[in-house]
């Protein structure tokens, strides 16, 4: 197990270093968002290939690949031809020429560390245990619900933004009527699903701490709070949308 963890740590570190070098050439740190999902795919297959766990353990790398490829592909299409994300642009303006070095530690290697910690369920999973079929089914259901919320939510948002009449307006239909962040809720379900799946493959219960870390990031740090801080000022009617609509978990809107 130590070998797998070390191998993945070196792989993530190297991946982030390469992406950082590309970001310097492009003057665009936003590419880290596109690579994020594929980083988990790399860890999942590296961990699977590093042990003789049998074909039944393919559940986790295959499902991680479906999630990671979809996320990276969606972000690549969405960001194509657009300027650097405003969050990174503000950091670049604040730090000036020193930002290229600062970004290596505060953006790329920091996200690499988070990637390593969140992906622990993928790294600790062994072969499926015959007496843990209920956990396997629960994990698959949670993952499927999450993937559905992410995919449909992103599709609805992309369709809404394609209409010029919706510029500056708030999407409050479909899944966005039930939760202000269906994509974040989907991500939440995906990682708890993969966490439960890892339990069915012999991982220790403590591995769920990585799922808790992802939940805290989404709910309290880099997910909902950071995004909504900017949306309130950039979207007319968003404050009213907040009063009506559940922040995270899907629920009928308040009257």
């Amino acid at each position: 197990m130590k070998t797998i963890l070390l191998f993945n740590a070196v792989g993530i570190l190297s991946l982030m270093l390469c992406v950082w070098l590309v970001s310097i050439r492009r003057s665009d740190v936003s590419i880290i968002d596109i690579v994020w999902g594929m980083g988990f795919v790399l860890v999942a297959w590296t961990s699977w290939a590093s042990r003789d766990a049998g074909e039944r353990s393919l559940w986790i790398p295959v499902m991680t690949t479906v999630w990671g490829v979809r996320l990276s592909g969606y972000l690549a299409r969405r960001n194509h031809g657009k300027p650097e994300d405003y969050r990174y642009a503000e950091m670049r303006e604040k730090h000036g020429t020193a930002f290229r070095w600062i970004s290596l530690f505060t953006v790329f290697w920091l996200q690499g560390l988070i990637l390593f910690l969140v992906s622990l369920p993928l790294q600790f999973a062994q072969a499926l245990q015959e007496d843990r079929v209920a956990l396997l089914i629960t994990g698959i259901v949670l993952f499927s619900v999450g993937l559905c919320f992410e995919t449909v939510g992103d599709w609805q948002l992309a369709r809404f933004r394609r209409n010029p009449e919706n510029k500056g307006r708030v999407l409050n239909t479909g899944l966005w009527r039930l939760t202000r962040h269906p994509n974040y809720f989907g991500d939440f379900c995906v990682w708890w699903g993969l966490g439960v799946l890892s339990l069915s493959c012999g991982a220790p219960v403590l591995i769920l701490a990585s799922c808790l870390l992802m939940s805290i990031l989404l709910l309290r740090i880099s997910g909902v709070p950071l995004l909504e801080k900017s949306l309130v000022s950039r979207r007319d009617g968003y404050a009213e949308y907040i009063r009506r609509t559940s922040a995270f978990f899907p629920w009928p809107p308040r009257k």
Side-chain angles (χ1 to χ4, degrees):
M1 194 65 232
K2 290 182 179 179
T3 302
I4 294 176
L5 293 173
L6 179 61
F7 197 78
N8 282 325
V10 173
I12 292 172
L13 189 69
S14 302
L15 172 65
M16 292 301 169
L17 181 61
C18 291
V19 179
W20 171 68
L21 292 172
V22 174
S23 77
I24 293 176
R25 183 175 181 84
R26 294 169 54 95
S27 295
D28 185 0
V29 176
S30 302
I31 59 175
I32 183 61
D33 297 336
I34 300 173
V35 176
W36 172 256
M38 296 308 298
F40 289 101
V41 175
L42 174 65
V43 169
W45 284 108
T46 300
S47 302
W48 177 83
S50 299
R51 56 177 169 260
D52 183 17
E55 293 184 359
R56 291 175 299 182
S57 64
L58 277 170
W59 278 107
I60 287 181
V62 168
M63 292 170 72
T64 303
T65 300
V66 172
W67 171 82
V69 170
R70 189 214 71 85
L71 178 62
S72 293
Y74 168 75
L75 292 176
R77 291 193 301 273
R78 189 188 70 178
N79 296 345
H80 179 68
K82 294 184 177 180
E84 186 175 45
D85 185 281
Y86 73 93
R87 297 167 297 173
Y88 303 127
E90 289 176 356
M91 293 173 64
R92 186 182 297 278
E93 183 178 357
K94 177 181 178 181
H95 297 290
T97 56
F99 179 64
R100 63 167 56 187
W101 291 104
I102 292 174
S103 67
L104 174 62
F105 298 96
T106 62
V107 177
F108 293 94
W109 279 352
L110 175 59
Q111 292 208 33
L113 174 61
I114 295 173
L115 193 159
F116 178 82
L117 294 175
V118 172
S119 67
L120 286 176
L122 315 180
Q123 302 183 60
F124 272 84
Q126 305 292 328
L128 176 65
Q129 307 295 307
E130 294 292 349
D131 59 342
R132 298 183 179 181
V133 176
L135 286 175
L136 173 69
I137 295 174
T138 302
I140 292 175
V141 170
L142 275 172
F143 177 90
S144 300
V145 169
L147 186 65
C148 179
F149 263 80
E150 281 195 53
T151 304
V152 175
D154 286 341
W155 172 74
Q156 290 175 341
L157 181 60
R159 184 181 62 175
F160 180 81
R161 286 175 170 173
R162 280 198 297 268
N163 187 346
E165 297 179 0
N166 293 328
K167 186 175 182 180
R169 297 174 60 188
V170 178
L171 172 59
N172 57 6
T173 58
L175 294 180
W176 299 84
R177 180 175 178 270
L178 304 176
T179 166
R180 302 200 297 269
H181 303 282
N183 44 1
Y184 286 159
F185 172 74
D187 212 28
F188 170 89
C189 291
V190 161
W191 283 105
W192 278 101
L194 289 172
V196 173
L197 271 172
S198 71
L199 296 183
S200 74
C201 296
V205 176
L206 285 175
I207 209 67
L208 294 181
S210 65
C211 304
L212 182 60
L213 170 63
M214 182 56 122
S215 302
I216 293 173
L217 290 171
L218 290 171
L219 283 164
R220 299 298 181 189
I221 302 177
S222 61
V224 174
L226 185 63
L227 180 59
E228 293 206 328
K229 183 179 179 181
S230 65
L231 286 176
V232 169
S233 60
R234 293 189 294 118
R235 292 283 188 273
D236 291 337
Y238 200 83
E240 176 63 25
Y241 179 59
I242 288 177
R243 286 191 286 271
R244 285 199 320 267
T245 312
S246 170
F248 194 77
F249 295 100
W251 196 257
R254 293 182 290 273
K255 294 183 180 179

